[in-house]
Amino acid sequence: RFETCWPALMKDSHGVIIIFNPELPSHLKEIEMWHSCFVRQQPLLDSQCLLIAHHKPGSAGDTENLSLAHPLNKLKLIHSNLEEDPEDVRMEFMKYFRSIITSINESREREEMSIIS
């Protein structure tokens, strides 16, 4: 229902984080649509996308056998359960965030060098 707002959300974006519940089959299908709309249409690199499979507290989520559709299986995937490993999730998010900042800085430097030369 908010699809008309998507272009504004995507404008000048440098990365996408998709959070989903891996225990809901409908979410596995929906993330394909989110990836298509927010990553492939930008176009963003795989390294600019992070998938977070969020497991609810107390769930016995299978972190080993999650099968994702083709373009999604190449993306960085982390499993989160804030009750059990909040620090791991924070560290993975910080690594992702640093990679986005590095990418932005490198792009800006290339643009400046092309203007100078």
Side-chain angles (χ1 to χ4, degrees):
R1 65 181 181 205
F2 296 111
E3 287 182 40
T4 56
C5 299
W6 290 1
L9 293 173
M10 291 186 284
K11 184 175 178 1
D12 297 331
S13 66
H14 297 282
V16 172
I17 299 173
I18 300 172
I19 302 171
F20 65 100
N21 182 343
E23 296 163 21
L24 295 177
S26 63
H27 278 202
L28 297 177
K29 200 66 176 156
E30 285 178 32
I31 61 174
E32 290 180 52
M33 183 265 310
W34 288 103
H35 178 265
S36 176
C37 292
F38 282 87
V39 178
R40 289 202 324 227
Q41 289 182 18
Q42 290 279 0
L44 295 175
L45 301 173
D46 289 346
S47 61
Q48 293 172 286
C49 184
L50 176 64
L51 295 178
I52 300 177
H54 182 68
H55 301 273
K56 292 181 179 179
S59 70
D62 186 1
T63 61
E64 300 297 320
N65 297 314
L66 181 61
S67 63
L68 299 172
H70 169 59
L72 300 173
N73 63 6
K74 299 185 300 181
L75 304 176
K76 173 77 174 165
L77 169 68
I78 64 171
H79 291 270
S80 73
N81 182 327
L82 298 179
E83 195 171 76
E84 293 177 17
D85 60 0
E87 188 59 26
D88 289 345
V89 174
R90 188 179 79 76
M91 293 304 293
E92 287 294 333
F93 177 77
M94 292 305 293
K95 281 196 288 189
Y96 167 75
F97 193 63
R98 276 190 220 108
S99 74
I100 295 297
I101 291 172
T102 300
S103 173
I104 292 169
N105 288 338
E106 289 171 354
S107 176
R108 187 173 292 139
E109 286 175 16
R110 281 192 303 272
E111 186 177 329
E112 289 172 357
M113 290 306 288
S114 71
I115 292 170
I116 293 171
S117 33

